[in-house]
């Protein structure tokens, strides 16, 4: 047990109790309750208010900006360490063995939506900072802890903070989100909608997916009469459930950055409906959008450091002859966005493609001060001198600010099941995270 473990040990019980209360708040983006006072829905507002009250109680200077983002400040100085975390979570989905909005501990593992992404890392970092503050160990610089409410569906809170409010960029910073040792590069991200209007004969509606950045776990197809379609499916190797004329295709959820780890129920539904009905539009979609690297729409790409492009169809809807498909696409630094957009539109025809938000590639050299410092902290805390900084397809808050990378808490030997049922975090990793983040703040402070 090192000095930082000893420093944070007294906060273990409080941190675990706070995590239970935090996870109990369903902070999924909810457009049905979104309004001027609750821009991301009532649940996200409650989560941001929870953090606001926690930080005020602990003696920080706190500002909640329109229930979009909470700013927690401590210390003075022109230079700062900025920490960026998020209070929102992806929808729970199905397949849980428990209430997803309740922390359940079993055999030393904490289960619940948000324990790993990002409520657990957020609080581990918060209590690491609290330990430093209460023991007067922080230097002559400012600490800025930002908690956003919209990371999983657009990062609008962070955009509001830096672009609308024009707050200064970090001197140095990190986001306690994603993997250890740390993330030195993130693929660019582009969202787009594929849509068209036509009648899918015999089909009343199709609904699949809850978030653009998660693999569709379940897709409901409602037919006017499902008998013939069910006969067609009998000899097919697909999983499905039947409820009257609703055929629910079953897949496997996964993070949209790693679609190969999941099974997309929506694309299975599109494929088999297309074959059964001989519907040329559905057959085209199955042909063009089933390849997870984007080859079907000539949008594949590769780089040695970042790997392949990835494509995830996250939401499918059809009703009243109107079809829509939301795609989460991630690409490497060797690709040019203009060429990708050109190909996506060309090879999606006759479907219309509407390009949405896009985020550029993030890249920091491995020998940069930020990367080398955080890597050394990880190595000293875990005595792991083998694991190397990672390039990922996931997008974090590090994309929203300068001089910032994602730093933990998923360890190389652990699958946190982020964005999937059964999201999990080892209790020892949560406790250790407090020491790691306290250490990181101190070491970055020496570089200011």
């Amino acid at each position: 047990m090192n000095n930082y473990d000893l420093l944070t040990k007294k906060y273990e019980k409080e941190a675990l109790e706070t995590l239970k209360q935090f996870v109990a708040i369903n902070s999924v983006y909810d457009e049905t309750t979104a309004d001027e006072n609750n821009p991301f829905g009532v649940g996200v507002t409650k989560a941001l208010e929870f953090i606001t009250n926690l930080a005020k109680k602990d003696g920080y200077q706190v500002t909640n900006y329109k229930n979009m983002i909470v700013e927690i400040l401590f210390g003075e100085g022109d230079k700062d360490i900025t920490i960026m975390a998020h209070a929102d979570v992806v929808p729970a989905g199905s397949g849980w063995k428990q209430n997803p909005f309740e922390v359940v501990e079993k055999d030393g593992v904490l289960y619940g939506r948000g324990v790993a992404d990002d409520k657990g890392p957020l609080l581990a970092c918060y209590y690491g900072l609290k330990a430093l503050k209460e023991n007067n160990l922080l230097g002559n610089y400012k600490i800025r802890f930002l908690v956003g409410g919209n990371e999983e569906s657009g990062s609008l809170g962070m955009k509001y903070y830096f672009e609308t409010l024009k707050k200064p960029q970090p001197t140095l910073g990190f986001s306690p989100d994603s993997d250890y040792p740390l993330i030195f590069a993130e693929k660019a991200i582009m969202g787009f909608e594929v849509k068209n209007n036509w009648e899918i004969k015999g089909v009343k509606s199709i609904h699949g997916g809850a978030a653009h950045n998660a693999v569709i776990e379940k897709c409901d197809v409602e037919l006017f009469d499902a008998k013939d379609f069910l006969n067609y499916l009998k000899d097919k190797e697909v999983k499905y459930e039947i409820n009257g004329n609703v055929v629910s295709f079953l897949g496997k959820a996964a993070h949209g950055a790693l679609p190969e780890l999941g099974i997309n129920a929506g694309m299975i539904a599109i494929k088999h409906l297309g074959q059964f009905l001989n519907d040329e539009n559905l057959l085209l979609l199955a042909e063009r959008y089933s390849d997870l690297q984007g080859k079907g729409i000539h949008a594949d790409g590769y780089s040695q450091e970042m790997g392949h492009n990835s494509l995830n169809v996250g939401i499918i809807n059809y009703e009243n002859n109107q079809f829509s498909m939301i795609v989460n696409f991630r690409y490497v630094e060797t690709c040019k966005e203009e060429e990708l957009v050109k190909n996506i539109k060309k090879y999606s025809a006759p479907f219309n493609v509407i390009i949405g938000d896009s985020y550029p590639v993030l890249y920091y050299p491995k020998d940069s001060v930020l990367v080398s410092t955080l890597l050394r902290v990880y190595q000293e805390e875990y005595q792991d001198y083998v694991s190397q900084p990672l390039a990922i397809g996931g997008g974090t808050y590090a994309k929203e600010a300068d001089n910032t990378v994602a730093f933990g808490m998923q360890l190389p030997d652990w699958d946190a099941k982020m964005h999937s049922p059964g999201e999990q975090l080892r209790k020892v990793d949560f406790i250790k995270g407090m020491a790691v983040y306290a250490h990181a703040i101190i070491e970055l402070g020496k570089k200011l």
Side-chain angles (χ1 to χ4, degrees):
M1 185 173 287
N2 66 24
N3 290 338
Y4 289 101
D5 292 318
L6 293 171
L7 177 71
T8 57
K9 185 171 179 57
K10 66 173 284 190
Y11 299 93
E12 290 177 10
K13 185 176 180 181
E14 180 184 347
L16 284 164
E17 180 57 33
T18 305
L19 179 61
K20 292 176 182 178
Q21 296 173 22
F22 199 18
V23 169
I25 302 170
N26 180 343
S27 54
V28 175
Y29 172 76
D30 181 12
E31 63 180 4
T32 65
T33 60
D35 56 30
E36 186 176 352
N37 294 321
N38 305 283
F40 310 128
V42 170
V44 174
T45 295
K46 288 180 179 178
L48 293 178
E49 288 175 343
F50 178 86
I51 291 297
T52 299
N53 293 333
L54 177 68
K56 285 182 177 179
K57 174 181 69 69
D58 288 333
Y60 293 96
Q61 178 184 334
V62 187
T63 305
N64 182 337
Y65 292 100
K66 297 186 175 181
N67 289 320
M68 297 181 76
I69 187 166
V70 174
E71 176 191 66
I72 302 167
L73 298 176
F74 182 79
E76 301 291 338
D78 296 330
K79 296 182 178 181
D80 70 85
I81 296 171
T82 294
I83 299 158
M84 304 164 68
H86 63 93
D88 61 315
V89 297
V90 296
S94 58
W96 287 80
K97 297 179 181 179
Q98 64 179 78
N99 175 2
F101 298 105
E102 177 185 356
V103 174
V104 172
E105 181 180 347
K106 182 179 180 181
D107 298 327
V109 179
L110 307 172
Y111 297 90
R113 177 57 86 219
V115 292
D117 185 21
D118 186 37
K119 293 179 177 179
L122 186 163
L123 289 178
C125 191
Y126 179 88
Y127 280 99
L129 172 62
K130 182 177 179 179
L132 296 175
K133 179 176 81 75
E134 293 188 349
N135 287 277
N136 299 311
L137 294 173
L138 291 166
N140 187 28
Y141 47 80
K142 182 186 295 183
I143 296 289
R144 181 171 55 168
F145 201 131
L146 304 178
V147 179
N150 182 237
E151 195 267 359
E152 298 290 4
S153 52
S155 298
L156 294 178
M158 212 58 74
K159 286 182 172 64
Y160 177 77
Y161 185 83
F162 286 113
E163 296 176 13
T164 302
L165 298 179
K166 300 189 183 306
K167 293 289 187 173
Q169 291 289 332
T171 309
L172 289 174
F174 63 88
S175 177
D177 190 1
S178 196
D179 298 70
Y180 288 134
L182 74 149
I183 309 303
F184 78 98
E186 297 180 12
K187 294 177 184 177
I189 303 177
M190 179 196 307
F192 60 91
E193 182 179 15
V194 182
K195 60 191 304 183
N196 207 348
N197 296 341
W198 85 98
E199 180 186 2
I200 304 178
K201 292 183 179 180
V203 177
K204 184 176 181 181
S205 67
I206 305 172
H207 297 294
H212 64 94
N213 56 355
V215 176
I216 298 175
E217 180 185 20
K218 181 180 180 183
C219 184
D220 297 327
V221 178
E222 183 176 3
L223 299 99
F224 292 104
D225 186 345
K227 182 175 65 175
D228 290 341
F229 187 44
L230 291 171
N231 285 332
Y232 159 85
L233 289 174
K234 281 182 180 178
D235 61 346
K236 303 297 186 295
E237 294 184 4
V238 295
K239 293 183 179 180
Y240 59 90
E241 297 173 342
I242 307 165
N243 183 8
N245 285 317
V246 177
V247 181
S248 297
F249 288 86
L250 305 178
K252 178 184 176 184
H255 197 298
L258 298 167
E260 67 274 12
L261 299 183
I263 300 172
N264 198 309
M267 293 310 297
I268 294 172
I270 293 298
K271 171 187 172 182
H272 286 289
L273 272 176
Q275 292 178 352
F276 170 68
L277 297 171
N278 195 28
D279 184 301
E280 62 181 13
N281 285 322
L282 294 177
L283 291 170
L284 183 143
L285 288 172
E287 175 192 352
R288 303 289 167 84
Y289 280 91
S290 292
D291 184 84
L292 302 182
Q293 296 176 6
K295 293 178 181 177
I297 49 174
H298 293 238
D300 51 320
Y302 175 80
S303 82
Q304 189 168 356
E305 286 197 305
M306 303 186 78
H308 291 276
N309 291 356
S310 68
L311 180 151
N312 178 61
V313 176
I315 298 175
I316 296 175
N317 283 306
Y318 170 79
E319 203 158 5
N320 299 322
N321 297 346
Q322 295 181 338
F323 181 92
S324 171
M325 192 166 78
I326 307 297
V327 180
N328 186 238
F329 181 69
R330 301 165 191 248
Y331 60 94
V332 299
E333 82 280 8
T334 55
C335 296
K336 294 182 179 179
E337 182 175 345
E338 307 80 40
E339 293 180 2
L340 290 171
V341 169
K342 181 180 178 181
N343 283 351
I344 290 169
K345 290 184 175 181
K346 178 180 178 181
Y347 291 99
S348 296
F351 285 78
N352 297 314
V353 173
I354 301 171
I355 304 296
D357 292 336
S358 64
Y359 305 87
V361 168
L362 178 145
Y363 178 88
Y364 287 94
K366 293 180 182 178
D367 61 356
S368 64
V369 169
L370 183 59
V371 173
S372 62
T373 300
L374 292 177
L375 177 61
R376 180 165 51 83
V377 168
Y378 166 80
Q379 291 172 336
E380 291 178 2
E381 289 293 331
Y382 282 101
Q383 294 299 299
D384 174 8
Y385 294 89
V386 176
S387 301
Q388 293 298 309
L390 303 169
I392 63 168
T396 71
Y397 270 155
K399 272 192 167 75
E400 304 299 329
D402 298 341
N403 309 315
T404 308
V405 296
F407 180 47
M409 289 193 319
Q410 182 170 261
L411 284 155
D413 67 343
W414 184 250
D415 178 8
K417 297 185 179 180
M418 297 181 191
H419 293 206
S420 299
E423 183 177 343
Q424 56 185 354
L425 172 67
R426 286 179 295 211
K427 183 177 176 180
V428 293
D429 294 340
F430 177 63
I431 292 169
K432 182 64 175 178
M434 293 189 287
V436 174
Y437 290 128
H439 191 172
I441 291 167
I442 290 298
E443 292 303 317
L444 288 180
K446 294 176 182 178
K447 304 298 182 181
L448 295 176

